[in-house]
């Protein structure tokens, strides 16, 4: 029964049977513990798993390879990497299964460099990698964008005889092939990723998602959407990952009509109830300037958590709809089913800044700490400096910069200079220029603001000095661009 429930959609029942077994005086053995630990892994129940670990030690089964490896897997699944490492160190013999659990655990806990280092140590211990381990290592390389090591692993696969492209079509390992495509795509080598994708004798939905996501994440929205349409033509149904990628692609394209088409398709498939999908749609509509559609997509979401509220607030605030953003925030507070976090307040302060609500901004800034115990970050201070500077309240802005507990960064100076540009405050501009002259790593935006302010005042000698400084420091001005949506 324990084994059956550990493999079922209700692994918690395996734990209930385990407890009942103990109450009735039966002692678990090396067959029982692995299935109980598997249930703990699935439930991410570290407390129950730790109790099982104690019983394993008490009964002496920690010397059993199978049991100790399951303990390692349980701790890694629960995010307790350090406990997992301790278990690994105590395993009597490090075989390929133990190393595989360790490497997989590192990858699943975003410790990608540790996974690669563990592989090197495994090699030095004379243990040969299997295909499952190689999949995890390719994932690690993709996530940390280490294409040099990724290419080395690709060559290593060939040496082991695991390269799926050198095997017969009958034995083609589609999972390993997909991992290769995903690694190259995430590292930005889309040419190799596409070559490998085109050479696959069979493809799964995950394979399609890897190439579509690769194009989308690397900014090639047109190719991502073309691949999506090719996938649909073959009758392959998209999933959540597919939709997130194509929504991102339509956002890159800046095409609201395309976004509406994708939204309609998402609605037909039922994914419109998924919070992550709806948040992506809201973000897409906001960035393409369609505030009404963004709000409608948000309203259709049944369960609105903090992330969902925050996405719509930031989306509206960042694209000229400050009043709507503050109205949404007011509703969030009234509903009381989600607590605003630091990112939520960034959107709120940004909204206040762009519609000139100084007192409201100050109230929200104080509310962060007083009501929710949130310590303002440099980004929050930047928003407040921007609010005060835009309103011409420079004394308050300077006082805030001098008294804030964090070091001013480029965004702080930029906010002050933006206010100086609006109100033609040359005195403060000169002081800021002297304060940030050498030690700061400035982006082109600060130089451009300084140049524009001096040009407006007719101080051409200062404009020349700023431009020469940019040239000597090899600071390139970021070129602007625009897009036009055409209707056919």
């Amino acid at each position: 029964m324990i084994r059956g429930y550990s493999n079922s959609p209700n692994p918690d029942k395996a734990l209930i049977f385990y407890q009942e077994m103990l109450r009735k005086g039966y002692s678990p053995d090396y067959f029982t513990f692995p299935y109980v630990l598997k249930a703990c892994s699935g439930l991410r129940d570290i407390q129950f798993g730790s109790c099982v670990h104690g019983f394993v030690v008490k009964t002496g089964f920690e010397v059993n390879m199978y049991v100790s490896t399951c303990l390692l897997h349980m701790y890694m699944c629960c995010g307790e990497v350090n406990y997992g490492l301790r278990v690994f160190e105590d395993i009597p013999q490090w075989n390929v299964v133990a190393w595989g659990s360790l490497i997989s655990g590192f990858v699943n806990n975003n410790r990608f460099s540790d996974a690669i280092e563990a592989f090197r140590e495994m090699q030095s211990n004379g243990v040969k990698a299997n295909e499952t381990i190689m999949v995890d290592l390719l994932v690690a390389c993709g996530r940390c964008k280490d294409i040099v090591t990724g290419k080395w692993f690709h060559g290593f696969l060939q040496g082991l005889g695991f390269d799926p492209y050198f095997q017969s079509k009958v034995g083609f390992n589609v999972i390993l092939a997909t991992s290769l495509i995903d690694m190259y795509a995430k590292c930005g080598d889309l040419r190799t990723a596409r070559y490998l994708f085109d050479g696959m004798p069979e493809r799964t939905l995950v394979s399609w998602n890897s190439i579509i996501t690769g194009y989308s994440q690397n900014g090639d929205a047109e190719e991502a959407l073309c691949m999506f349409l090719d996938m649909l033509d073959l009758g392959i149904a998209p999933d959540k990952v597919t939709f997130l990628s194509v929504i991102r692609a339509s956002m890159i394209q800046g095409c609201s009509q395309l976004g509406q088409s994708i939204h309609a398709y998402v609605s037909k498939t039922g994914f419109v109830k998924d919070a992550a999908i709806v948040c992506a749609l809201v973000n897409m509509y906001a960035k393409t300037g369609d505030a009404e559609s963004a709000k409608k997509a948000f309203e259709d979401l049944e369960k609105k958590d903090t992330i969902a509220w925050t996405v719509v607030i930031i989306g509206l605030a960042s694209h000229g709809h400050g009043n709507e953003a503050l109205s949404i925030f007011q509703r969030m507070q009234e509903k009381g089913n989600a607590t605003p976090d630091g990112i939520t307040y960034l959107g709120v302060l940004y909204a206040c800044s762009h519609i000139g609500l100084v007192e409201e901004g100050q109230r929200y800034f104080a509310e962060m700490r007083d009501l929710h115990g949130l310590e303002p970050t440099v980004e929050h201070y930047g928003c407040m400096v921007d609010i005060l500077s835009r309103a011409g309240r420079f004394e308050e802005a300077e006082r805030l910069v001098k008294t804030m507990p964090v070091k001013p960064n480029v965004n702080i100076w930029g906010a002050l200079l933006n206010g100086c540009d609006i109100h033609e405050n040359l005195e403060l501009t000169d002081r800021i220029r002297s304060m940030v002259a050498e030690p700061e790593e400035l982006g082109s935006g600060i130089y451009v603001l300084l140049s524009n302010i001096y040009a407006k005042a007719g101080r051409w000698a200062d404009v020349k000095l700023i431009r020469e400084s940019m040239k000597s420091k090899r600071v390139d001005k970021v070129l602007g661009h625009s897009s036009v949506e055409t209707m056919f």
Side-chain angles (χ1 to χ4, degrees):
M1 293 300 293
I2 292 172
R3 175 184 178 182
Y5 277 121
S6 70
N7 293 315
S8 76
N10 302 303
D12 55 314
K13 291 186 178 180
L15 304 186
I16 294 170
F17 269 90
Y18 171 73
Q19 289 174 309
E20 185 66 20
M21 173 181 152
L22 295 181
R23 273 196 295 268
K24 291 190 175 181
Y26 293 98
S27 295
D29 59 14
Y30 59 88
F31 286 112
T32 316
F33 285 124
Y35 293 114
V36 177
L37 291 167
K38 182 178 180 180
C40 293
S41 300
L43 294 165
R44 305 292 191 269
D45 191 339
I46 186 62
Q47 286 187 320
F48 202 105
S50 297
C51 292
V52 175
H53 187 182
F55 209 100
V56 166
V57 174
K58 184 178 178 181
T59 53
F61 283 106
E62 78 274 16
V63 296
N64 181 276
M65 276 292 301
Y66 190 29
V67 173
S68 55
T69 303
C70 289
L71 272 171
L72 166 62
H73 179 70
M74 183 274 295
Y75 279 119
M76 290 298 195
C77 284
C78 294
E80 297 289 344
V81 178
N82 290 333
Y83 283 113
L85 283 169
R86 288 184 203 172
V87 171
F88 180 78
E89 292 295 334
D90 291 335
I91 291 176
Q93 184 180 358
W94 295 334
N95 62 9
V96 69
V97 178
W99 282 107
S101 294
L102 181 67
I103 291 169
S104 176
F106 279 137
V107 172
N108 292 331
N109 285 283
N110 300 323
R111 292 175 59 163
F112 309 117
S113 298
D114 288 334
I116 294 168
E117 188 59 37
F119 164 77
R120 295 192 177 111
E121 192 176 343
M122 182 185 81
Q123 273 195 304
S124 67
N125 277 268
V127 180
K128 184 180 177 182
N130 57 25
E131 290 172 292
T132 303
I133 290 175
M134 295 311 300
V135 167
D136 284 323
L137 291 168
L138 290 169
V139 170
C141 292
R143 295 283 179 83
C144 61
K145 302 189 185 304
D146 184 354
I147 195 166
V148 174
T149 306
K151 285 181 176 179
W152 186 89
F153 281 136
H154 191 176
F156 186 71
L157 277 175
Q158 294 171 357
L160 291 174
F162 292 156
D163 193 323
Y165 293 92
F166 286 88
Q167 296 170 347
S168 66
K169 291 184 179 181
V170 177
F172 182 74
N173 189 331
V174 69
I175 296 173
L176 193 51
T178 300
S179 298
L180 282 166
I181 293 165
D182 190 62
M183 181 274 293
Y184 281 112
K186 279 188 168 58
C187 291
D189 188 353
L190 289 166
R191 184 176 180 181
T192 302
R194 182 60 180 269
Y195 174 78
L196 293 173
F197 179 82
D198 290 340
M200 296 180 84
E202 63 174 292
R203 299 172 184 137
T204 63
L205 174 59
V206 180
S207 308
W208 283 97
N209 282 344
S210 293
I211 195 69
I212 291 170
T213 302
Y215 280 121
S216 179
Q217 289 179 342
N218 285 280
D220 194 342
E222 187 175 347
E223 197 61 38
L225 293 166
C226 285
M227 295 297 287
F228 174 63
L229 294 175
D230 288 345
M231 188 185 90
L232 295 182
D233 287 341
L234 291 170
I236 300 171
D239 65 359
K240 179 178 176 177
V241 176
T242 323
F243 282 128
L244 288 173
S245 296
V246 294
I247 291 168
R248 177 189 173 90
S250 64
M251 184 170 64
I252 294 169
Q253 289 282 75
C255 179
S256 61
Q257 186 183 30
L258 175 62
Q260 287 167 355
S261 300
I262 292 170
H263 189 177
Y265 189 77
V266 169
S267 299
K268 287 180 183 178
T269 57
F271 279 97
V272 76
K273 294 181 180 179
D274 186 280
I277 296 287
V278 172
C279 287
L281 286 167
V282 167
N283 201 25
M284 175 198 71
Y285 280 126
K287 289 191 175 180
T288 54
D290 191 347
E292 287 304 314
S293 295
K295 287 188 285 185
K296 186 177 184 306
F298 173 74
E299 296 300 343
D300 289 340
L301 183 63
E302 294 176 7
K303 295 181 180 179
K304 300 176 176 67
D305 60 6
T306 299
I307 294 173
W309 287 101
T310 300
V311 166
V312 72
I313 289 167
I314 290 178
L316 293 170
S318 302
H319 296 89
H321 303 281
N323 287 315
E324 290 95 327
L326 293 178
S327 175
I328 293 285
F329 180 64
Q330 185 65 34
R331 278 181 53 204
M332 178 185 182
Q333 290 181 309
E334 289 169 359
K335 292 275 185 182
N337 58 352
T339 304
D341 59 15
I343 301 173
T344 315
Y345 274 102
L346 275 178
V348 170
L349 293 173
Y350 194 85
C352 291
S353 172
H354 283 262
I355 54 179
L357 300 178
V358 180
E359 282 72 25
E360 287 84 349
Q362 290 175 320
R363 176 167 60 83
Y364 287 128
F365 187 74
E367 185 182 279
M368 279 179 61
R369 185 186 288 126
D370 297 342
L371 283 185
H372 302 289
L374 298 168
E375 285 299 321
T377 64
V378 69
E379 288 79 14
H380 295 106
Y381 281 106
C383 285
M384 276 309 304
V385 170
D386 191 49
I387 289 171
L388 295 167
S389 299
R390 282 174 181 269
R393 293 164 65 162
F394 293 108
E395 286 185 12
E396 293 174 71
E398 280 193 276
R399 194 182 310 123
L400 183 62
V401 172
K402 288 175 182 176
T403 57
M404 65 186 193
V406 290
K407 183 182 177 182
N409 63 6
V410 173
N411 293 332
I412 301 286
W413 301 125
L416 277 171
L417 284 172
N418 189 51
C420 292
D421 188 23
I422 294 169
H423 297 280
E424 299 181 1
N425 189 331
L426 290 170
E427 184 183 344
L428 180 56
T429 299
D430 289 336
R431 288 206 302 276
I432 294 170
R433 180 183 172 187
S434 65
M435 281 189 282
V436 301
E438 292 302 328
E440 285 281 332
E441 282 291 329
L442 300 178
S444 63
I446 298 293
Y447 288 100
V448 171
L449 270 171
L450 285 167
S451 179
N452 289 345
I453 293 167
Y454 288 134
K456 272 186 186 179
R459 288 171 53 173
W460 301 110
D462 288 307
V463 172
K464 184 180 179 182
L465 284 172
I466 296 294
R467 290 180 177 174
E468 285 176 352
S469 179
M470 284 182 72
K471 189 175 181 180
S472 66
K473 294 176 182 177
R474 296 182 178 180
V475 177
D476 294 322
K477 182 178 175 181
V478 178
L479 297 176
H481 68 277
S482 61
S483 62
V484 178
E485 181 179 348
T486 57
M487 303 286 285
F488 294 100

